[in-house]
């Protein structure tokens, strides 16, 4: 059985992420979406539980996709799935530089682990979780940026963040 891992901060999940997850689910038998509790991104908008819940609702339409989380190193996390491949989305040259470096580090930790990249869909190349967070803070319409089923969650959280 072929297994892909789609890691990310998912703070929150966007339609760009979902596009990569959906395309990966067509190529691999099983996809594990792993919400990484990343020390490099210290002040997330959402808790891991909230992120897991939103990702779960967004991917529930894909039968071969499961959701998990990890606060460890991705290269260590991946060891539990034999032969699993990391699949990531690439938006621009800036993504490439970062991902290339991460891939080399992952290879040092776990030489068996392969990473594959899918190019971002043209309509989502501008989209990132930080853009969504910023738009939400200004009360902007999030339709077309994130899955419809999580818009209310983001708006609710943005309201809390706006309050002093
Ligand atoms: P972000 O960069 O938005 O904070 P993550 O850290 O959660 O996102 O990224 C997880 C993965 O999803 C990365 O491989 C990233 O390149 C990819 N990704 C993020 N946004 C998009 C998008 N709009 N289209 C394609 N891939 C994306």
């Amino acid at each position: 059985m072929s297994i892909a891992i789609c890691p990310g901060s998912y703070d929150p999940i966007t339609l760009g992420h979902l596009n990569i997850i959906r395309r990966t689910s067509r190529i691999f038998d099983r996809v594990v979406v792993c919400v990484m509790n990343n020390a490099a991104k210290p002040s997330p908008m959402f808790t891991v539980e909230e992120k897991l819940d939103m990702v779960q609702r967004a991917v529930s339409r894909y039968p071969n996709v499961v959701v998990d989380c990890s606060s460890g190193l991705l290269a260590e996390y991946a060891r539990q799935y034999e032969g699993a491949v990391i699949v990531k989305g690439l938006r621009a040259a800036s993504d490439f530089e970062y991902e290339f470096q991460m891939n080399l580090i992952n290879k040092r930790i776990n030489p068996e682990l392969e990473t594959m990249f899918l190019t971002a869909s043209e309509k989502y190349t501008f989209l990132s979780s930080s853009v969504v967070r910023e738009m939400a803070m200004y009360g902007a319409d999030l339709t077309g940026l994130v899955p419809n089923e999580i818009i209310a969650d983001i708006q609710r959280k943005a309201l809390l963040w706006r309050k002093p």
Side-chain angles (χ1 to χ4, degrees):
M1 186 169 70
S2 60
I3 302 178
I5 301 171
C6 290
S9 325
Y10 300 108
D11 189 39
I13 186 168
T14 69
L15 288 182
H17 292 128
L18 199 57
N19 177 267
I20 297 292
I21 293 166
R22 180 182 57 79
R23 288 160 58 199
T24 304
S25 76
R26 288 190 187 155
I27 303 169
F28 290 83
D29 296 323
R30 191 165 165 223
V31 180
V32 181
V33 178
C34 188
V35 176
M36 304 301 293
N37 203 358
N38 195 337
K41 293 185 181 172
S43 15
M45 186 171 197
F46 297 92
T47 65
V48 176
E49 291 72 24
E50 289 167 337
K51 290 195 248 183
L52 278 171
D53 176 58
M54 288 189 288
V55 174
Q56 186 63 62
R57 278 185 278 141
V59 304
S60 63
R61 68 194 90 166
Y62 308 122
N64 60 338
V65 178
V66 295
V67 183
D68 194 11
C69 64
S70 171
S71 49
L73 285 169
L74 177 60
E76 298 290 359
Y77 172 85
R79 285 188 206 277
Q80 65 187 292
Y81 302 103
E82 216 196 317
V85 172
I86 305 294
V87 177
K88 306 206 78 180
L90 277 187
R91 283 162 294 190
S94 50
D95 268 353
F96 175 79
E97 269 177 47
Y98 175 76
E99 296 296 351
F100 195 78
Q101 190 184 16
M102 285 308 295
N103 182 42
L104 292 178
I105 295 168
N106 285 340
K107 276 268 181 207
R108 278 182 81 115
I109 302 167
N110 181 351
E112 301 289 300
L113 185 60
E114 297 294 352
T115 303
M116 291 180 183
F117 297 98
L118 294 181
T119 46
S121 164
E122 200 187 341
K123 61 182 176 185
Y124 298 131
T125 41
F126 73 95
L127 187 54
S128 66
S129 297
S130 56
V131 163
V132 169
R133 291 195 301 270
E134 184 146 0
M135 300 274 282
M137 294 303 276
Y138 288 103
D141 184 11
L142 301 179
T143 310
L145 303 182
V146 300
N148 286 337
E149 49 274 70
I150 68 164
I151 289 179
D153 301 67
I154 302 171
Q155 287 170 336
R156 212 176 306 124
K157 179 66 83 157
L159 263 181
L160 285 175
W161 273 51
R162 283 210 294 260
K163 284 186 184 150

